[in-house]
Amino acid sequence: MSMTFASSDADALPLHVVHQGEFGSWLSAQPQVVKNWIEAQDFTPAVGKAILVPDKTGNPAFALIGYGNALTRSRTRLPLAAAAANLPQGTYTLATTLPDGDLETETLGWLLSAYLFDRYKYKPHKSARLVCPPGVDSARVEAIAAAEALTRNLINTPASDMGPADLEVAAQKLASRYEGAVNVITGDALLKQNFPLVHAVGRAADRPRAPRLIDLRWGTQGPKLTVVGKGVCFDTGGLNLKPGASMALMKKDMGGAATAMGLAHMIMALQLPIQLRLLIPAVENSVSANSFRPGDILTSREGMTIEVNNTDAEGRLVLADALTLASEDSPDLLVSIATLTGAARVAVGPDLAPYFCDDTEVCHALEHAAELVSDPVWRLPFWSAYEKMIEPEIADLDNAPSGGFGGSITAALFLRRFAQNQRYVHFDIYGWNPSNAPARPKGGVGMGARALFQALPNLLAI
């Protein structure tokens, strides 16, 4: 698996990208032998179509790929990647000018099309390689591709090999690579240092999979960005046990942490002039004699009491303590990323990354960035009229309001209580691609991280 650009190669095949509306004029300008070959192949310039065109000796002269039209491209993110997957192994160089706004994203898509998760099963994979086009910052694109590969690998790894301790190791490796520092609070020390919710959710797991709070810091100058990622490495639902079908994908319940780590990788690899803090409450929501129970009243780090009405709404609990800690440091921007609610999936499906934010300027910057980098986001409301839904009679907050209405919104409102009036953005992502798509194979996937990274210079004025 090579997710880097090919070095400049004199033998690289020219790659012609043809828009559907321009195909007729392009074809008429070709030599007759080329026309004959293309027509014999029944080639159409639809998204994903790709052929090699030979010279007079029968050797490949150039590659031709379809780019569709505006409508088909709007239905296919990263259309260049769709064709890259259909080209034979080799090295290619763009011979066609793409719009400047598309070039970086499309070449990133090409690199991402080479991703393959083969930790447990060998899969021969020979990918088409691309020479970095002029005007593209190869280091930037390769760093973003590596960050996405990190996120995907973490999510795709089953809980047998990606428990809280394994997530800690991944954070330590990331910090070591870029000279960051990691502090970890584990097991009963969480109680001593006042992280009672993280401890309560994770205490039922075996000692080797004990709960922990991972705290990574990098950078000493510039504005402060704190990112909190939900690290529930497996979610049984606790005593409110999930049915088997609902448990099948719960290895991905640390997708928020994985996506946050991917974002941190981008920031550190490309040396953004900021002070980054990454907080990951890493737990396994297991079943044991000491599991927290429905009906329990828990007291958070902030001091608010929480009635547990469903132990399967555990993600907001561990995030609450981490958000409180983050707020104590008064960051310039606070972000949480979590695979939090099924309600968000029902609302927007698996492709969009729904987010919540009260700051209009942040929303505008984020949505503009998302469009530029083909990492779509969708704003959902912090609807304050629903606050009463998370306020039970016997505690300050309810972790799982009955009725199910507005489930993603009530979860976001719950978290906002712990962000303590910081400039705050919350992402409720899915973290999983349910079917193969260009540059996005079935499996774990980052959502919202590239949009956030693109927006950070505006959000933090750097």
Side-chain angles (χ1 to χ4, degrees):
M1 179 175 69
S2 179
M3 296 178 65
T4 58
F5 289 110
S7 58
S8 184
D9 188 342
D11 295 326
L13 279 180
L15 181 69
H16 294 269
V17 182
V18 183
H19 296 251
Q20 193 165 327
E22 300 169 357
F23 180 56
S25 58
W26 180 90
L27 188 62
S28 65
Q30 303 306 309
Q32 190 62 46
V33 66
V34 171
K35 291 181 188 177
N36 292 343
W37 175 263
I38 292 173
E39 289 171 354
Q41 301 303 307
D42 199 26
F43 175 83
T44 62
V47 169
K49 295 291 186 180
I51 60 170
L52 296 184
V53 178
D55 60 20
K56 293 180 180 179
T57 67
N59 292 313
F62 64 88
L64 180 64
I65 65 176
Y67 207 55
N69 56 33
L71 176 61
T72 55
R73 287 196 301 277
S74 71
R75 296 180 177 182
T76 307
R77 288 161 61 186
L78 307 172
L80 196 64
N86 294 324
L87 285 171
Q89 182 183 17
T91 302
Y92 300 86
T93 182
L94 274 177
T96 303
T97 301
L98 295 180
D100 289 343
D102 295 343
L103 190 56
E104 180 178 297
T105 299
E106 291 290 8
T107 53
L108 171 65
W110 186 294
L111 298 189
L112 292 177
S113 70
Y115 175 81
L116 185 69
F117 185 69
D118 58 1
R119 176 170 176 173
Y120 301 96
K121 182 178 181 179
Y122 173 70
K123 300 175 184 178
H125 184 64
K126 299 178 179 179
S127 61
R129 305 218 38 214
L130 183 69
V131 175
C132 185
V136 171
D137 184 338
S138 61
R140 175 183 170 89
V141 175
E142 288 176 350
I144 295 172
E148 174 63 18
L150 170 65
T151 294
R152 294 179 183 184
N153 286 340
L154 291 172
I155 297 174
N156 285 329
T157 302
S160 53
D161 291 320
M162 190 50 64
D166 302 290
L167 204 54
E168 176 187 335
V169 169
Q172 294 279 12
K173 287 181 178 178
L174 181 62
S176 176
R177 181 174 180 179
Y178 296 108
E179 300 182 347
V182 177
N183 180 61
V184 183
I185 305 168
T186 305
D188 290 342
L190 289 164
L191 287 177
K192 295 177 183 178
Q193 298 191 43
N194 195 21
F195 297 98
L197 299 183
V198 180
H199 182 269
V201 172
R203 70 192 184 203
D206 290 341
R207 186 175 296 273
R209 304 176 78 82
R212 63 205 65 207
L213 181 69
I214 302 164
D215 187 350
L216 184 157
R217 289 180 181 266
W218 175 87
T220 58
Q221 295 182 331
K224 295 179 180 180
L225 169 68
T226 298
V227 184
V228 180
K230 174 186 169 186
V232 178
C233 295
F234 194 82
D235 182 17
T236 67
L239 292 178
N240 290 112
L241 195 68
K242 293 177 183 287
S246 298
M247 214 184 294
L249 278 181
M250 283 301 99
K251 70 175 184 178
K252 78 169 185 67
D253 212 21
M254 39 63 70
T259 301
M261 288 177 66
L263 175 62
H265 184 287
M266 297 179 210
I267 290 168
M268 293 188 286
L270 295 170
Q271 296 288 306
L272 263 61
I274 65 173
Q275 298 179 66
L276 171 66
R277 189 179 194 185
L278 174 62
L279 293 170
I280 298 174
V283 302
E284 183 169 291
N285 188 18
S286 297
V287 178
S288 184
N290 66 338
S291 296
F292 73 118
R293 298 164 292 265
D296 283 356
I297 303 291
L298 305 177
T299 301
S300 70
R301 177 181 180 86
E302 193 273 342
M304 283 189 280
T305 56
I306 300 162
E307 181 180 8
V308 177
N309 278 312
N310 192 328
T311 62
D312 196 18
E314 85 298 328
R316 67 201 70 182
L317 298 176
V318 299
L319 289 171
D321 274 354
L323 285 169
T324 299
L325 175 65
S327 298
E328 292 165 8
D329 198 33
S330 300
D332 295 287
L333 181 65
L334 174 58
V335 178
S336 59
I337 309 175
T339 53
L340 203 62
T341 69
R345 309 295 78 72
V346 172
V348 301
D351 272 4
L352 294 168
Y355 77 98
F356 297 80
C357 184
D358 286 325
D359 189 316
T360 302
E361 290 185 5
V362 171
C363 296
H364 286 168
L366 186 56
E367 290 173 10
H368 176 66
E371 186 174 354
L372 284 177
V373 299
S374 292
D375 187 19
V377 301
W378 197 267
R379 185 183 183 186
L380 294 179
F382 274 130
W383 190 246
S384 295
Y386 292 165
E387 289 278 6
K388 58 182 178 293
M389 295 170 64
I390 61 172
E391 297 171 347
E393 292 184 6
I394 63 171
D396 295 320
L397 291 173
D398 182 340
N399 85 316
S402 62
F405 288 132
S408 184
I409 298 173
T410 54
L413 291 172
F414 182 98
L415 295 180
R416 188 173 67 169
R417 296 287 186 100
F418 299 91
Q420 300 178 8
N421 298 315
Q422 303 296 316
R423 195 174 177 222
Y424 176 51
V425 183
H426 164 59
F427 279 86
D428 187 346
I429 66 170
Y430 189 44
W432 189 262
N433 200 36
S435 58
N436 290 320
R440 297 163 64 243
K442 181 179 179 179
V445 66
M447 300 179 71
R450 290 192 292 111
L452 269 166
F453 181 73
Q454 180 73 21
L456 283 178
N458 285 330
L459 297 180
L460 297 177
I462 55 176

